[in-house]
Amino acid sequence: MIEKPIPEEKLDALRSIMHEALTKRFAPDGLTFDPIVFEHEIDYEGDELLWIKIIFDGDQGKLDPSWTNRMFLFLDPALENLGITAFPITSFIEKSEWEDPYYWIPDYLREDVEE
């Protein structure tokens, strides 16, 4: 259990920074980003993590991996300025997948997962 959750105001500020950067880079390609979801947790070694799930709508082929892999260049200073010390882990999820109820079923409960 996390003793001190990250205040929602800080997460809202980070969400705004990320949304602005993503929109600036990818809006010309027709991509939109909403929502940006944060999950704050402690891993099995006691390290603080911030899972960042970026939900996008549009052609995934236009989601430039050379840019998304370097998101830390603007993300790290933003985290530091906001006083967020959790290690960020980002993932991009297609909106259609995010809205699909099947997405939320853990693998171990799915009938079609091969072992």
Side-chain angles (χ1 to χ4, degrees):
M1 176 181 246
I2 298 172
E3 293 178 22
K4 294 184 180 179
I6 299 171
E8 198 60 39
E9 315 81 64
K10 290 185 178 188
L11 294 177
D12 287 343
L14 182 59
R15 186 177 290 111
S16 178
I17 291 166
M18 293 183 69
H19 189 267
E20 181 179 332
L22 289 162
T23 300
K24 182 178 179 181
R25 169 60 184 88
F26 294 108
D29 296 325
L31 292 164
T32 58
F33 302 91
D34 186 50
I36 297 174
V37 179
F38 299 108
E39 294 178 10
H40 184 213
E41 68 178 55
I42 304 296
D43 72 4
Y44 68 95
E45 294 181 338
D47 295 323
E48 188 180 18
L49 304 174
L50 182 61
W51 295 91
I52 305 171
K53 297 178 181 181
I54 303 167
I55 315 309
F56 71 94
D57 194 20
D59 181 1
Q60 185 172 1
K62 294 183 179 181
L63 197 57
D64 179 8
S66 65
W67 191 90
T68 59
N69 288 333
R70 293 190 321 258
M71 283 182 60
F72 68 89
L73 293 174
F74 76 85
L75 194 55
D76 283 349
L79 290 167
E80 186 175 337
N81 288 340
L82 292 167
I84 298 174
T85 58
F87 182 79
I89 301 172
T90 59
S91 61
F92 287 82
I93 303 167
E94 285 188 71
K95 191 168 196 95
S96 60
E97 183 178 343
W98 181 257
E99 293 173 344
D100 184 354
Y102 188 73
Y103 175 83
W104 299 97
I105 301 172
D107 285 345
Y108 68 92
L109 293 176
R110 293 182 184 179
E111 295 177 2
D112 63 341
V113 175
E114 295 179 23
E115 295 191 30

